[in-house]
Amino acid sequence: MLPNWFNKWNRENPKDVFGPGILVGALGGAVFVAIMIVAWGQPYATDSLQTGPRGTGMSVPEFKAELAIPDPDIAELIEDEPYIPEAGDALAKDIYENVQVLGDVTEDNFNRVMAAMTRWVAPEEGCAYCHGDGDVETYGEDTLYTKVVARRMIQMTQNINENWDGHVNANKEVGVTCMTCHRGQNVPSDIWFKVTPVNASTAGWSSNQNRVTPLSQYSSLPSDALEKYLVDGEVIGVHSLESRSDEDITDPDVAGIQNAERTYALMNYVSNSLGVNCVFCHNTRAFYDPEQVTPQWGTESLGIGMVQEMNTEYLIPLGDTYPENRLGPLHGDAPKAACKTCHKGYQQPLQGTNVIQYWPELATTGTPVYE
């Protein structure tokens, strides 16, 4: 029953039967794996997004299996057509008390937006999360901090959609709503607080790095990059490429070695936030040259400016409004946003789904446009 070569080999080597058995098993296993790959597909097959000239390595590879899986939060999006206002419709500010935003929206659309915000931010607590457990007559009171914060967040959302169109609608209409960050949670995931110094036994520059933290993306890079670049607005860049530069590194507009390390920390954070690599924005042959970047670099630059404004104009000023349990554990600072707060690991939040189309009330600081 066995092949002649095997019988001959077995006679000449009567004590060693493992060699051919292993060989036959390995060959059989390889054939089985090949059959499974042909039948079920390559589980680690990749697709590449080309971001530059061929042959330069400028591509962003992604697993096809992951590309085929939609962001699970997309299923939670609300599709609710707005009511087209008609002459004589009552406005929210004329019906309810203390309506400081969305007051010029009709009552029906106002209630529609409020119901959506409840599902986006507090699906379990309901209206009571911002208005308390009292009667409807008490909804105009600003007793709870959550209502004060929510009002400011509506203004921030309107500002983003109206004034940062180049970032949130770079390729097509996408926009942002409360759902973009909150995803059904009271507090969005991937917010951040100050964590430096991370080395209590050192001072100065050494106290900012060489400790694994979420802000350093679990690397030895500095942990204060988000603070310096997305709040303080310091220069993002690497040190001079000349070996003996006469640049004054004490000048805040000149990048030194420390700025270079922080820049690497920020870029590492951005890459992980969007699920991409460096060449998504930069040219591999000249990372330092702003004239050889990809179009995505411009979109990202607008995003950095947008986040700086979000933090300094909207989020940080709310520090005195929050209770202690909502503030940072080390410095008592207000929660802040960054790229991952919205993107959650995708190139576009919610994989580029148009989230603003049903919510014109959140698309502008002025009068909503209903189509």
Side-chain angles (χ1 to χ4, degrees):
M1 297 295 294
L2 297 175
N4 291 333
W5 65 267
F6 180 80
N7 291 330
K8 179 181 178 182
W9 186 92
N10 197 34
R11 287 193 301 270
E12 295 175 353
N13 303 274
K15 295 182 180 180
D16 186 4
V17 297
F18 297 104
I22 293 174
L23 177 61
V24 172
L27 292 175
V31 171
F32 176 77
V33 170
I35 293 174
M36 293 300 295
I37 290 177
V38 172
W40 298 97
Q42 162 61 282
Y44 299 108
T46 60
D47 193 7
S48 295
L49 171 66
Q50 185 174 328
T51 60
R54 294 180 179 178
T56 62
M58 292 191 64
S59 63
V60 179
E62 295 179 290
F63 290 116
K64 290 184 177 180
E66 294 182 357
L67 291 174
I69 301 175
D71 185 334
D73 291 323
I74 293 177
E76 302 300 322
L77 293 175
I78 304 172
E79 298 181 0
D80 190 359
E81 293 285 351
Y83 300 102
I84 305 300
E86 297 181 357
D89 284 350
L91 301 181
K93 64 182 180 181
D94 298 327
I95 302 297
Y96 305 110
E97 296 181 0
N98 194 23
V99 180
Q100 299 181 30
V101 295
L102 302 177
D104 292 326
V105 173
T106 62
E107 180 187 12
D108 289 337
N109 282 317
F110 180 83
N111 290 329
R112 185 179 61 87
V113 174
M114 291 296 104
M117 288 180 61
T118 300
R119 290 179 57 183
W120 289 332
V121 178
E124 296 183 3
E125 297 86 351
C127 303
Y129 183 68
C130 287
H131 297 288
D133 296 323
D135 297 332
V136 176
E137 288 75 14
T138 66
Y139 277 22
E141 300 175 359
D142 288 346
T143 306
L144 297 179
Y145 82 93
T146 47
K147 181 184 176 183
V148 178
V149 172
R151 179 186 293 137
R152 192 60 175 150
M153 293 302 96
I154 292 173
Q155 294 171 325
M156 183 181 74
T157 301
Q158 292 173 329
N159 175 66
I160 291 173
N161 285 314
E162 183 174 74
N163 297 318
W164 294 99
D165 179 80
H167 182 74
V168 298
N169 299 317
N171 301 315
K172 60 179 181 179
E173 183 180 72
V174 174
V176 297
T177 65
C178 313
M179 181 65 177
T180 305
C181 293
H182 280 266
R183 312 293 178 97
Q185 302 179 59
N186 299 159
V187 180
S189 64
D190 302 301
I191 56 174
W192 62 277
F193 303 96
K194 295 180 182 179
V195 298
T196 53
V198 294
N199 284 325
S201 59
T202 61
W205 178 245
S206 298
S207 67
N208 296 322
Q209 58 183 351
N210 298 326
R211 283 291 186 274
V212 173
T213 68
L215 296 190
S216 70
Q217 299 298 283
Y218 304 99
S219 71
S220 63
L221 291 168
S223 294
D224 62 348
L226 300 188
E227 174 188 348
K228 295 299 181 181
Y229 295 141
L230 301 185
V231 175
D232 296 343
E234 291 193 6
V235 58
I236 301 174
V238 298
H239 55 81
S240 174
L241 300 179
E242 299 180 10
S243 60
R244 296 181 181 274
S245 173
D246 58 357
E247 293 180 337
D248 181 7
I249 61 173
T250 62
D251 186 339
D253 294 326
V254 174
I257 294 178
Q258 295 177 352
N259 296 98
E261 291 188 353
R262 281 198 183 105
T263 296
Y264 296 147
L266 177 66
M267 296 299 104
N268 193 24
Y269 171 84
V270 172
S271 294
N272 290 329
S273 299
L274 275 64
V276 298
N277 56 27
C278 306
V279 299
F280 187 66
C281 293
H282 297 276
N283 191 316
T284 51
R285 64 180 297 275
F287 280 96
Y288 54 85
D289 189 350
E291 295 183 358
Q292 300 187 50
V293 295
T294 70
Q296 290 84 357
W297 183 90
T299 304
E300 170 60 17
S301 297
L302 287 174
I304 290 174
M306 181 187 74
V307 172
Q308 289 172 340
E309 182 181 88
M310 289 168 57
N311 287 327
T312 58
E313 298 295 325
Y314 294 92
L315 300 178
I316 293 176
L318 287 170
D320 294 335
T321 304
Y322 289 109
E324 185 177 356
N325 66 309
R326 290 295 195 217
L327 300 176
L330 297 181
H331 301 283
D333 53 321
K336 292 168 282 294
C339 312
K340 200 171 186 179
T341 314
C342 292
H343 283 263
K344 315 291 187 189
Y346 293 99
Q347 291 180 22
Q348 291 182 292
L350 294 163
Q351 294 178 308
T353 303
N354 186 343
V355 298
I356 198 63
Q357 60 179 323
Y358 298 107
W359 312 103
E361 300 85 1
L362 301 177
T364 176
T365 58
T367 303
V369 177
Y370 296 93
E371 298 178 352

